[in-house]
Structures are given as C-alpha cells and as structure tokens.
C-alpha cells in the first residue's frame, strides 16, 4: 500500500511527534517485513527462519491465531492513533483489542497475510510493533498520569522518549540474554510499578532544584519474583543514559544465556550479589564516554517541547456547575470519587476510564468504544489518551465543568464503571483462553469475581483492593504484586489456583506470599470472598485498607479463615 | 495409548486445523483423522509434509476421547483451540458452526 503524506498529530496531543528519521525508519521496517512475509508464504523462508523475524515485528502465534502486539510508547496515544487502532480492530480483526499490563494493545486474530498492511496502517500514524517481543529493550512504561499529576516532580515522558530513541537502534542491545523492561515514574507515588522492572527509575528533585533519579535494578515477576535493588540513590540527569548503558553492558556481558529461566538481569544481580553487581556497574559507568552518552541539556529541552503542557485554561479551583452535578447525581458523584484523580491545575481532574465492566474482560475495548474515547479525548482532553498498566484508559486533562457531560457519554458505552482501585478493577492476563503459554484461564476468574462483588456499595465498603490474576508463572497478570494474587496452574489436567497475599506494586513494593494449597476453579471465588470477609471483620475502621490489615496482622488470620474449615 | 489426532496452525492465517482422513487439513475437530499408536507416525509424516509445503506450522499429536464417535481433545488447552475462547462464544470455531465446548 502507498505510504501517505507525513502524519501530523494535533499539537498538545501529549505524544512524541516523529521526525522524518523516525518515520522513514518505521516505513522501511514495514516494507522489509512485507517482503519477509512474502518470502515465507512463497516457501523461500522456513518457519524456523521466519519466526524470529515475525517476533521482532510483534507477531506471535497463539492458540487460535496470530496475535499482533502493538507498541504504545509509554502508554501514550493521540486520538487519531486510537481511531486507527479501532479501524485495525474492525477491518483486520474481530472488532476489539486488548490493552495489556505493558501499556500496549494486542489484536488476537490477525492473519499473517494481512500483517504487513496492518503495520503500514500503524506507520501512517507513527506507530509500530517493534520492541514488543524478543530479547531486546522493550517498550518503556511510565505513569499514566504523567504531565498531569498533582504529585509529579518531573515529566517522565521526556526520559521515556529518550530511552526509546536510545534503545530503538542500539546495535549492542538487540540480542540481550533475555527481554529487558524499563519503567520510569516522575512522582514519589509510584504508579508505574518501577521496582518490579529490570530497571526502575524514580525521578526526584534535589533541594537545590537539580533533577535526578533513584535507580532500581533487577526487579521482576515471573518464575522468580524480585523487588529491584537500589543501585543508585541519586543519578544526575546528565548521567541518565550513561548509567543505563553501563547497567545494560554488564548484563549483556554477564547475563546467563544457557537457561531461559535464569537469563533475566534479576538472576544475575542475585547470583553476583547486589554489592558486587553495583560495583561492576560503577566501574563500567566510569568507562562510558560522556561525550557520547552524556545527556545534552539542549536535547532534553527539545524533547521536553514535545510534551509541553496543553493550553490549560486559568480556572478557579471550584466549579459551581460541577458542585451542583456532584450534589444532585449520586451515580455521577460515585464515579467522580472512584475514577478521577487530582490534577496539578486548578479546575481540572484526571479521568480514569474503566475497562473493567462487571462481568467483562479486563482490558478489552471494542472498536466503537475506542472511537468514542478518541472523540471524547478530542472534546474534553486535548486529544490525548493514556493506557494504564492496570489495563484502563485515562483522559488526563478534563475540566471540572466537563466531567458530567463526559460521564454521561461514557455510561451508555459501558465505560463508566466507578471501580478504579476496587475489587472489580482486576488485572488479568489473557490466560488459557488465548495464550499459548498459559496453564489455566484468567479471564473467567476475573469475570466471576467481579460478578460476585457487583454491588458497588459493597465494593466501596471494601475499599482499595488490587486483585491480580495470571494464567501461568510468567506472571503477565502481575499476581505477585496483587494485594490478592491468583496464579492459575495445571494440576493433572485440572485448573487450580494458588492465592498469594500481601503483594503491592507501589513505591513500597512487596512480593505476595503463598497462603497455602490451591483451590479448584469452583472453590476459588468463595475463597476470595472469605479473605475479603475476614478483612472486613479485622479492620479497625473503614480507613484501614485490605493491604494495611495484611501488613499489620500477617497472613495467619486469613490462612486460618481459609483453611480451618477444610 | 489413548487415541490421537494431529493438529497445527495454518500458516497464512493462523487458523487451527487438524489432519483429515484424506491427508488434507480440516477446520473442524470432528472431521479430524483418528490415529492409534501404529498409525500415528504415518500421520505425523503427513503433517511434516504439510509443514514442508508451507501449509501449516507447529504440528502436534494430541490425546482425544470419542464422544458420539467424534474426537474431543482431552486437555482443556486443546478444547479451547478446537472450539474457541470460553469467554467469547461469538469468536473461534464455536462461532463458525465447527463445534461447541462439551
């Protein structure tokens, strides 16, 4: 297909605007893949030869069909890009897409023959599927409230984009021992789960105003979960790339390549012991040439311009119109309380759009829903959309005055369930319904659980509770860091589910611990309800959350409640 | 040995297919050829020819039980491949009249 004229996203769309170099690179990769697909279909390439190529372009083969994972750089989309994703879902897939815990989107039913056309459609809007598979530096993830959050120290998108540019064509790091995930947050309240990534960056500002980062390395979930170790309490902004380069060099040189299960950097860090690992990184860091890897303030500033704040109006902190709607419409008030967050500017809120309707599939959005969100983003939030790792969408800059109209538009589309952070806001991987690696289903568990707790008053009473479900030990559903984590296993051909308690993904991240023997699919939902009822009995008052009770009392009372009767 | 059928994914579109009695690749599990131990290697040889011809990828022999004379995969994973996602009755084979979850 013909590549169209350079695409120009709306100004202030909150996404990085490609230059001609980026654009040409993606176009060339698309045409290269088109040729490779043709060679595969003609028999010139075997599957063994072709498989690494298709994976490097985000194309997996899953249970039912191919699956295309499209990169959403640090979870940011403009409305045209979201419309394009909707179009791809409608034309080439089955009219829906699945937003993932990596802030990406997956299409579950594309054909191999169509994939080059899909990639060309993506390239038209400066998107691609590169770095969504393989042993490379994957799509960098960040805070879905970036550039809007009231608690933000700096805008993490700037540094996420620097990492994207640095990693995309880095010749040394295209064949690492294993995949490599970097997350960055610009706020002290970590919404990007940085401590369970290969590298986690937590931005901070020194008393004298300088920008720097705390660095964590070796975090990760999967078969061997670890919280990252702090390798630097302070990393100067100018050394940002040089230090990350040093970490990657050490990993690339010493990371194991003999065993896929021991190849992530977390294993290297723990086998070397943190002290020795840190020393080696510092040694390498001293060698990294600063003229090449020092962060030039002019470049940082140029990238920062891409993420300049949208033209927010100078508004009063209070809106009479909003206050009236809030007082008169209880359902609206519930949604405001549950699904919106403080914005740094007076008169604005950050809006979370829940992709977790009761009984729905976490993270799924139909083409029509994507198009509606794109339209609402144009109307109310400067045409930008973010994807949260919790598999929801975000409109980051909505006027208080507009909240009621926005909510009214979301309700009929099933996009206004006021459950953000509550028991039915479940993170779930695709599980055995789609995934070739899974041992058990995740989605039906999430559906039954949200149906069991469908009553919103009950959910509000329970309060903040993160339930995460993975269908296998690879932990795409982040079960280790759920307050309640559920891991599906195959036990002699039957689905069984192991429960962990006490995990969390924030700045005080922790890995949950296993409660005891697993539960059958039939018994699982009752078991989760028992845990929640136990919490309600044990909490001091409504301000003490589920995770706080687990931290105060440990697993014992929950274990007793769960297993005593058995 | 339990009775077996041979499954794969079609190269061009990823569609789940099974080796049929005539050596072709069929889209409904009920139409799959059933192999006993003695015949399985012959079937796998046919599957490998399908790979070499660029028709299918990742052929695999799987266990089945017979229900009403038709093969039904023993493992849940293979039943999901055979009939479609359990959470989306409107997608997959179940939506195309090519079988339903037992």
């Amino acid at each position: 297909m013909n590549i169209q004229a350079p695409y120009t996203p709306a100004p202030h769309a909150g996404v990085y605007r490609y230059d001609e170099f980026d654009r040409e690179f993606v176009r060339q990769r698309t045409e290269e893949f088109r040729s490779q697909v043709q060679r595969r279909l003609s028999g010139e390439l075997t599957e063994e030869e072709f498989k690494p190529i298709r994976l490097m372009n985000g194309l997996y083969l899953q249970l039912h069909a191919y699956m295309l994972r499209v990169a959403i750089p640090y979870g940011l989309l403009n409305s045209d890009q979201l419309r394009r994703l909707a179009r791809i879902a409608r034309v080439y897939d089955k009219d829906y897409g699945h937003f993932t815990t990596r802030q990406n989107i997956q299409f579950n039913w594309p054909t191999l023959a169509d994939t080059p056309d899909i990639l060309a459609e993506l390239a038209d809007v400066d998107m691609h599927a590169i770095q969504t598979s393989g042993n490379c530096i994957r799509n960098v993830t960040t805070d879905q409230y970036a550039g809007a959050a009231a608690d933000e120290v700096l805008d993490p998108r700037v540094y996420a984009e620097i990492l994207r540019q640095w990693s995309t064509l880095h010749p040394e790091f295209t064949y690492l021992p294993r995949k490599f995930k970097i997350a960055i947050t610009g706020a002290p309240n970590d919404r990007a789960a940085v401590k369970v990534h290969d590298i986690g960056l937590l931005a901070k500002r020194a008393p004298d105003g300088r920008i720097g980062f705390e660095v964590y390395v070796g975090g990760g979930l999967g078969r061997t979960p670890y919280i990252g170790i702090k390798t630097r309490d302070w990393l100067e902004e100018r050394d940002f790339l040089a230090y990350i380069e040093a970490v990657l060099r050490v990993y690339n040189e010493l990371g194991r390549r003999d065993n896929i299960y021991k190849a992530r950097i977390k294993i290297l860090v723990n086998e070397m012991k943190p002290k020795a690992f840190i020393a080696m990184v510092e040694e390498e860091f001293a060698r990294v040439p600063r003229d090449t890897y020092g962060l030039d303030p002019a470049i940082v500033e140029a990238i920062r311009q891409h993420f300049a704040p949208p033209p927010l109006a100078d508004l009063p902190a209070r809106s009479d119109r909003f206050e009236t709607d809030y007082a008169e419409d209880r359902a609206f008030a519930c949604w405001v309380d549950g699904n919106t967050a403080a914005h740094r500017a007076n008169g604005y809120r950050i809006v979370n759009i829940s992709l977790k309707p009761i009984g729905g599939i976490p993270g799924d959005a139909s083409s029509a829903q994507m198009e509606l969100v794109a339209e609402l983003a144009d109307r109310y939030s400067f045409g930008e959309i973010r994807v949260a790792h919790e598999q929801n969408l975000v409109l980051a800059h909505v006027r208080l005055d507009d909240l009621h109209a926005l909510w009214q538009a979301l309700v009929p589309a099933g996009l206004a369930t006021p459950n953000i952070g509550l028991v039915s806001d479940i993170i779930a991987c695709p599980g055995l319904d789609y995934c070739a690696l899974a041992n058990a289903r995740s989605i039906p568990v999430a559906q039954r659980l949200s149906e069991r707790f469908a009553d919103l008053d009950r959910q509000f009473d329970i309060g903040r509770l993160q339930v995460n479900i993975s269908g296998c030990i690879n932990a795409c559903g982040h079960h280790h860091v759920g307050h309640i984590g559920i891991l599906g296993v195959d036990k002699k051909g039957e689905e069984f589910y192991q429960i962990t308690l006490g995990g969390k993904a924030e700045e005080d991240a922790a890995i949950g611990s296993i409660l005891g023997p697993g539960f059958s699919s039939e018994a699982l939902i009752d078991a989760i309800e028992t845990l929640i009822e136990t919490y309600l009995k044990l909490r001091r008052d409504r301000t003490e959350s589920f995770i706080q009770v687990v931290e105060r009392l440990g697993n014992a009372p929950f274990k007793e409640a769960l297993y005593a009767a058995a | 040995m339990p009775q077996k059928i041979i499954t794969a994914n079609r190269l061009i579109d990823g569609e789940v297919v099974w080796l049929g009695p005539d050596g072709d690749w069929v889209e409904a599990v009920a139409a799959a050829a059933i192999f006993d131990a003695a015949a399985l290697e012959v079937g796998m040889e046919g599957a490998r020819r399908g790979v070499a011809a660029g028709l299918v990828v990742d052929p695999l022999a799987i266990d089945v039980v017979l229900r009403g004379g038709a093969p039904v995969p023993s493992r849940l994973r293979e039943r999901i491949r055979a009939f479609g996602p359990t959470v989306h009755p409107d997608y997959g084979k179940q939506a195309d009249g090519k079988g339903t979850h037992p």
Side-chain angles (χ1 to χ4, degrees):
Chain A
M1 84 183 270
N2 292 327
I3 301 296
Q4 296 167 3
Y7 161 75
T8 308
H12 308 297
V15 300
Y16 179 78
R17 293 178 296 286
Y18 273 19
D19 59 20
E20 200 42 49
F21 175 85
D22 295 312
R23 220 160 253 148
E24 188 55 28
F25 169 71
V26 172
R27 277 197 290 251
Q28 283 178 4
R29 276 288 295 261
T30 299
E31 290 314 303
E32 186 182 8
F33 188 60
R34 185 183 299 282
S35 159
Q36 288 159 338
V37 168
Q38 282 163 358
R39 291 174 67 202
R40 175 67 185 111
L41 292 176
S42 72
E44 197 179 326
L45 294 175
T46 66
E47 185 62 12
E48 195 181 12
E49 290 162 338
F50 179 67
K51 186 175 176 181
I53 294 169
R54 70 165 158 77
L55 287 173
M56 284 172 75
N57 286 279
L59 190 65
Y60 292 70
L61 184 55
Q62 295 285 31
L63 292 185
H64 308 288
Y66 291 98
M67 180 274 280
L68 182 67
R69 181 179 295 155
V70 176
I72 299 177
Y74 29 97
L76 296 180
L77 289 164
N78 63 43
S79 56
D80 289 339
Q81 291 172 326
L82 186 55
R83 282 190 192 92
R84 184 56 59 97
L85 295 176
R87 175 183 147 76
I88 288 168
R90 180 172 290 129
V91 173
Y92 301 98
D93 208 88
K94 293 192 186 292
D95 218 17
Y96 72 100
H98 176 74
F99 290 99
T100 75
T101 52
R102 298 276 309 140
Q103 299 181 302
N104 291 324
I105 188 169
Q106 294 180 175
F107 295 110
N108 287 313
W109 306 88
T111 70
L112 175 60
D114 280 345
T115 304
D117 287 344
I118 299 174
L119 295 182
E121 294 239 13
L122 289 169
D124 286 349
V125 291
D126 297 349
M127 295 185 77
H128 56 75
I130 302 164
Q131 289 175 285
T132 62
S133 178
N135 295 336
C136 61
I137 299 169
R138 301 287 187 91
N139 187 28
V140 176
T141 52
T142 194
D143 181 1
Q144 64 272 22
Y145 295 172
D151 61 350
E152 190 168 277
V153 174
L154 59 81
D155 189 337
R157 294 173 297 180
V158 176
Y159 304 91
E161 173 57 26
I162 289 169
L163 289 173
R164 185 192 73 79
Q165 294 189 17
W166 161 78
S167 66
T168 298
L169 280 175
H170 199 308
E172 203 178 329
F173 303 144
T174 53
Y175 184 59
L176 293 166
R178 197 75 181 87
K179 59 188 169 183
F180 202 91
K181 299 174 182 175
I182 303 176
I184 179 167
T185 177
N189 298 304
D190 176 11
R191 287 174 286 268
V194 304
K195 291 187 181 174
V196 289
H197 284 75
D198 295 293
I199 292 179
L201 297 153
L202 213 151
K204 56 188 193 181
R205 196 179 285 275
D208 62 5
R210 280 176 306 141
I211 285 170
F213 302 88
E214 258 177 43
V215 185
Y216 294 83
V217 178
L221 302 175
R223 190 173 297 263
T224 319
Y226 281 113
I227 301 298
I229 59 155
K230 190 195 279 191
T231 60
R232 271 296 189 99
D233 188 58
W234 177 259
L235 177 66
E236 292 280 352
E237 183 194 38
R238 67 168 179 271
D239 292 332
F240 179 76
L241 274 189
Y243 188 83
I244 293 173
E245 173 86 16
V247 172
L248 263 296
R249 284 185 184 181
V250 169
Y251 171 54
N252 200 27
E253 184 182 346
L254 298 178
R256 289 179 61 170
R257 292 175 186 265
D258 61 319
N259 181 339
I260 191 175
Y261 302 118
K262 294 185 185 296
R264 296 289 290 269
I265 195 172
K266 61 190 174 184
I267 303 296
L268 176 68
V269 170
N270 284 278
E271 283 187 353
M272 281 182 73
K273 305 299 177 204
K275 197 175 166 189
F277 176 81
I278 292 169
M280 190 163 275
V281 169
E282 290 296 338
E283 208 175 295
E284 188 62 40
F285 175 61
R287 276 199 290 268
V288 173
R290 295 302 192 275
D291 54 343
T292 309
Y293 291 99
L295 213 49
D296 181 346
I299 290 176
V300 176
E301 189 48 40
I303 292 177
R304 187 171 286 122
Q305 291 306 314
H306 286 264
F307 303 106
L312 300 169
D314 188 13
L315 299 172
R318 190 187 146 82
S319 153
D320 289 341
R321 186 165 146 195
F322 167 73
E323 296 296 339
T324 304
D325 291 333
Y326 187 87
E328 291 179 354
D329 190 333
R330 183 172 177 269
F332 171 62
C334 266
W335 176 79
V336 170
D337 291 345
N339 287 25
T340 73
H343 195 284
R344 64 170 58 162
N346 282 339
Y348 286 87
R349 296 287 287 178
I350 299 168
V351 170
N352 289 280
I353 297 175
S354 172
L355 297 182
K356 320 283 178 68
I358 299 303
I361 296 176
D364 272 15
S366 68
S367 304
Q369 286 177 320
M370 288 189 252
E371 282 163 349
L372 176 66
V373 171
E375 183 194 327
L376 295 173
D378 279 341
R379 202 182 307 163
Y380 299 119
S381 192
F382 304 96
E384 68 166 82
I385 304 100
R386 289 94 183 281
V387 183
H389 84 266
E390 292 91 346
Q391 302 175 280
N392 294 310
L393 300 178
V394 170
L395 300 183
H397 316 283
V398 181
R399 286 183 188 220
L400 284 174
D401 281 354
D402 291 334
L403 281 175
H404 194 256
L406 170 61
W407 173 74
Q408 284 180 311
L410 291 171
V411 169
L415 292 169
T417 310
N419 60 348
I420 297 296
L422 303 180
V423 60
S424 63
D425 184 11
I426 298 163
I427 293 176
C429 71
L432 191 57
D433 276 298
Y434 291 97
C435 178
L437 299 175
N439 294 317
R441 287 173 293 170
S442 303
I443 297 168
V445 173
Q447 290 175 309
R448 287 190 291 136
L449 198 53
S450 89
E451 281 161 359
R452 177 70 64 92
F453 291 93
D455 180 348
L456 280 167
D457 288 336
R458 190 180 181 200
Q459 290 196 50
F460 276 110
D461 181 41
I462 294 164
R464 191 170 139 59
L465 173 53
Q466 185 64 53
V467 180
N468 295 355
I469 308 170
S470 302
C472 79
I473 196 65
N474 292 308
C476 295
H478 294 191
H479 66 277
H480 297 295
V481 290
H483 301 159
I484 296 175
I486 301 171
L487 167 63
V489 297
D490 179 337
K491 194 173 168 186
K492 296 179 183 167
E494 296 291 323
E495 293 170 297
F496 262 72
Y497 295 89
Q498 217 171 57
I499 299 175
T500 55
L501 217 56
K504 49 188 178 173
E506 293 81 6
E507 59 282 359
D508 54 350
I511 302 295
S513 56
I514 297 171
L515 266 186
F519 292 84
S520 68
S521 177
E522 293 71 31
L524 178 64
I525 306 303
D526 286 342
I528 302 297
E529 189 167 30
T530 299
L531 293 176
I532 292 171
E533 290 298 327
T534 303
Y535 151 68
L536 292 172
K537 282 181 206 147
L538 292 172
R539 70 182 177 185
R540 287 176 172 141
D541 55 46
R542 287 189 59 163
T543 65
E544 191 179 30
S545 68
F546 183 93
I547 188 69
Q548 286 170 328
V549 170
V550 173
E551 286 170 346
R552 177 167 60 85
L553 298 173
N555 284 1
F558 295 94
K559 201 168 176 174
E560 193 183 327
L562 211 50
Y563 296 106
Chain B
M1 187 185 91
Q3 289 176 302
K4 304 260 189 188
I5 59 176
I6 295 171
T7 185
N9 287 82
R10 199 159 55 202
L11 172 66
I12 194 165
D13 57 6
E15 180 81 23
V16 179
V17 289
W18 296 266
L19 192 62
D22 301 327
D24 52 348
W25 292 93
V26 298
E27 292 187 6
V29 69
I34 300 166
F35 299 92
D36 58 22
L40 184 61
E41 187 44 41
V42 175
M44 285 305 291
E45 189 52 42
R48 285 191 282 273
R49 280 197 299 275
V51 172
L55 296 174
V56 296
V57 295
D58 298 342
L60 178 72
I62 60 167
D63 293 350
V64 291
V65 293
L66 295 182
R67 290 195 184 154
V72 174
S74 302
R75 290 181 62 207
L76 175 61
R77 170 196 163 93
E78 292 301 328
R79 288 199 297 279
I80 288 172
R81 288 181 76 243
F83 305 120
T86 62
V87 294
H88 260 312
D90 40 351
Y91 300 140
K93 307 284 187 186
Q94 59 200 340
D96 300 332
K98 293 171 185 156
T100 52
H101 281 277

